[in-house]
């Protein structure tokens, strides 16, 4: 298995008003976007070309919307990128750019 193109841990993943995990993982690897629980159990996954990632206009920085398989997930990533060597999720902006880059849509 190749090194993931994007990986974030400590991500809050919600669907509608329900929180699915408060410390989940988001990974883009081998052309697929995967949403995982903190234990590594798959919540949802889809080919990155079929994923739509945007920043919601109603939410503060650090949040992104991801549409996978007809489901909309609210991802709460970091407000800013962590310092090198520091733990924490990357910024939502980096996630959106990684999805576009992996899908071949540019950044």
């Amino acid at each position: 298995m190749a090194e993931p193109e994007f990986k974030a841990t400590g991500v809050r993943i919600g669907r509608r008003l329900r929180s699915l995990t408060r410390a989940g993982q988001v990974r883009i690897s081998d052309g697929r976007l995967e949403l995982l629980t903190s234990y590594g159990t798959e919540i949802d996954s889809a080919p990155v070309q079929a994923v739509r990632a945007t920043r919601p206009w109603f939410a503060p920085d650090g949040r992104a919307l991801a549409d996978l398989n007809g489901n909309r997930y609210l991802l709460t990533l970091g407000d800013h990128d962590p310092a090198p060597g520091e733990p924490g999720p990357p910024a939502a902006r980096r996630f959106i750019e990684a999805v576009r880059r992996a899908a071949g849509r540019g950044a």
Side-chain angles (χ1 to χ4, degrees), residues 2-61:
E3 184 69 24
E5 299 164 31
F6 178 85
K7 184 176 182 183
T9 57
V11 178
R12 180 178 292 242
I13 301 172
R15 187 167 159 217
R16 300 190 187 238
L17 297 175
R18 182 173 170 224
S19 177
L20 301 174
T21 183
R22 293 187 305 172
Q25 302 173 39
V26 176
R27 186 169 49 199
I28 298 174
S29 181
D30 298 327
R32 288 191 71 78
L33 172 69
E34 299 174 312
L35 302 179
L36 308 168
T37 65
S38 57
Y39 298 109
T41 305
E42 185 176 293
I43 295 170
D44 204 348
S45 71
V48 81
Q49 289 84 4
V51 174
R52 192 172 133 237
T54 58
R55 198 175 149 289
W57 62 270
F58 58 85
D61 287 344

